[in-house]
PDB file of all heavy atoms in Angstrom:
ATOM      1  N   LEU A 216      -3.640   5.431  -2.875  1.00 97.00           N
ATOM      2  CA  LEU A 216      -2.641   5.976  -1.948  1.00 97.00           C
ATOM      3  C   LEU A 216      -1.286   5.997  -2.644  1.00 97.00           C
ATOM      4  O   LEU A 216      -0.793   4.959  -3.083  1.00 97.00           O
ATOM      5  CB  LEU A 216      -2.565   5.108  -0.683  1.00 97.00           C
ATOM      6  CG  LEU A 216      -1.536   5.542   0.359  1.00 97.00           C
ATOM      7  CD1 LEU A 216      -1.906   6.889   0.971  1.00 97.00           C
ATOM      8  CD2 LEU A 216      -1.409   4.492   1.452  1.00 97.00           C
ATOM      9  N   MET A 217      -0.731   7.183  -2.752  1.00 96.00           N
ATOM     10  CA  MET A 217       0.574   7.311  -3.398  1.00 96.00           C
ATOM     11  C   MET A 217       1.588   7.871  -2.406  1.00 96.00           C
ATOM     12  O   MET A 217       1.349   8.904  -1.782  1.00 96.00           O
ATOM     13  CB  MET A 217       0.468   8.231  -4.615  1.00 96.00           C
ATOM     14  CG  MET A 217       1.800   8.473  -5.285  1.00 96.00           C
ATOM     15  SD  MET A 217       1.652   9.388  -6.838  1.00 96.00           S
ATOM     16  CE  MET A 217       1.235  11.012  -6.217  1.00 96.00           C
ATOM     17  N   ASP A 218       2.694   7.173  -2.274  1.00 96.00           N
ATOM     18  CA  ASP A 218       3.809   7.657  -1.453  1.00 96.00           C
ATOM     19  C   ASP A 218       4.881   8.175  -2.390  1.00 96.00           C
ATOM     20  O   ASP A 218       5.146   7.569  -3.423  1.00 96.00           O
ATOM     21  CB  ASP A 218       4.391   6.517  -0.601  1.00 96.00           C
ATOM     22  CG  ASP A 218       3.514   6.216   0.604  1.00 96.00           C
ATOM     23  OD1 ASP A 218       2.297   6.392   0.489  1.00 96.00           O
ATOM     24  OD2 ASP A 218       4.065   5.804   1.646  1.00 96.00           O
ATOM     25  N   TYR A 219       5.493   9.273  -2.011  1.00 95.00           N
ATOM     26  CA  TYR A 219       6.539   9.810  -2.869  1.00 95.00           C
ATOM     27  C   TYR A 219       7.496  10.679  -2.070  1.00 95.00           C
ATOM     28  O   TYR A 219       7.222  11.078  -0.944  1.00 95.00           O
ATOM     29  CB  TYR A 219       5.949  10.602  -4.034  1.00 95.00           C
ATOM     30  CG  TYR A 219       4.928  11.647  -3.642  1.00 95.00           C
ATOM     31  CD1 TYR A 219       5.281  12.994  -3.564  1.00 95.00           C
ATOM     32  CD2 TYR A 219       3.612  11.286  -3.362  1.00 95.00           C
ATOM     33  CE1 TYR A 219       4.340  13.953  -3.213  1.00 95.00           C
ATOM     34  CE2 TYR A 219       2.678  12.233  -3.008  1.00 95.00           C
ATOM     35  CZ  TYR A 219       3.039  13.560  -2.934  1.00 95.00           C
ATOM     36  OH  TYR A 219       2.107  14.506  -2.579  1.00 95.00           O
ATOM     37  N   VAL A 220       8.603  10.922  -2.704  1.00 95.00           N
ATOM     38  CA  VAL A 220       9.652  11.724  -2.092  1.00 95.00           C
ATOM     39  C   VAL A 220       9.950  12.868  -3.037  1.00 95.00           C
ATOM     40  O   VAL A 220       9.988  12.679  -4.260  1.00 95.00           O
ATOM     41  CB  VAL A 220      10.912  10.848  -1.870  1.00 95.00           C
ATOM     42  CG1 VAL A 220      12.078  11.686  -1.406  1.00 95.00           C
ATOM     43  CG2 VAL A 220      10.611   9.735  -0.876  1.00 95.00           C
ATOM     44  N   GLY A 221      10.111  14.047  -2.493  1.00 93.00           N
ATOM     45  CA  GLY A 221      10.399  15.176  -3.369  1.00 93.00           C
ATOM     46  C   GLY A 221      10.518  16.465  -2.586  1.00 93.00           C
ATOM     47  O   GLY A 221      10.488  16.467  -1.359  1.00 93.00           O
ATOM     48  N   SER A 222      10.637  17.561  -3.316  1.00 91.00           N
ATOM     49  CA  SER A 222      10.758  18.860  -2.670  1.00 91.00           C
ATOM     50  C   SER A 222       9.370  19.359  -2.257  1.00 91.00           C
ATOM     51  O   SER A 222       8.355  18.763  -2.589  1.00 91.00           O
ATOM     52  CB  SER A 222      11.423  19.847  -3.625  1.00 91.00           C
ATOM     53  OG  SER A 222      10.695  19.886  -4.832  1.00 91.00           O
ATOM     54  N   ALA A 223       9.339  20.462  -1.530  1.00 89.00           N
ATOM     55  CA  ALA A 223       8.082  20.940  -0.957  1.00 89.00           C
ATOM     56  C   ALA A 223       7.090  21.382  -2.035  1.00 89.00           C
ATOM     57  O   ALA A 223       5.887  21.226  -1.872  1.00 89.00           O
ATOM     58  CB  ALA A 223       8.360  22.089   0.014  1.00 89.00           C
ATOM     59  N   ASP A 224       7.579  21.937  -3.142  1.00 93.00           N
ATOM     60  CA  ASP A 224       6.660  22.473  -4.146  1.00 93.00           C
ATOM     61  C   ASP A 224       5.992  21.384  -4.976  1.00 93.00           C
ATOM     62  O   ASP A 224       5.099  21.661  -5.774  1.00 93.00           O
ATOM     63  CB  ASP A 224       7.380  23.487  -5.044  1.00 93.00           C
ATOM     64  CG  ASP A 224       8.678  22.939  -5.587  1.00 93.00           C
ATOM     65  OD1 ASP A 224       9.159  21.940  -5.037  1.00 93.00           O
ATOM     66  OD2 ASP A 224       9.214  23.507  -6.555  1.00 93.00           O
ATOM     67  N   ILE A 225       6.412  20.141  -4.774  1.00 94.00           N
ATOM     68  CA  ILE A 225       5.819  19.034  -5.523  1.00 94.00           C
ATOM     69  C   ILE A 225       4.346  18.863  -5.120  1.00 94.00           C
ATOM     70  O   ILE A 225       3.502  18.512  -5.943  1.00 94.00           O
ATOM     71  CB  ILE A 225       6.628  17.741  -5.274  1.00 94.00           C
ATOM     72  CG1 ILE A 225       6.442  16.760  -6.419  1.00 94.00           C
ATOM     73  CG2 ILE A 225       6.250  17.062  -3.973  1.00 94.00           C
ATOM     74  CD1 ILE A 225       7.464  15.655  -6.401  1.00 94.00           C
TER      75      ILE A 225
END
Side-chain angles (χ1 to χ4, degrees):
Chain A
L216 179 66
M217 177 173 72
D218 283 31
Y219 51 101
V220 173
S222 55
D224 50 343
I225 204 165

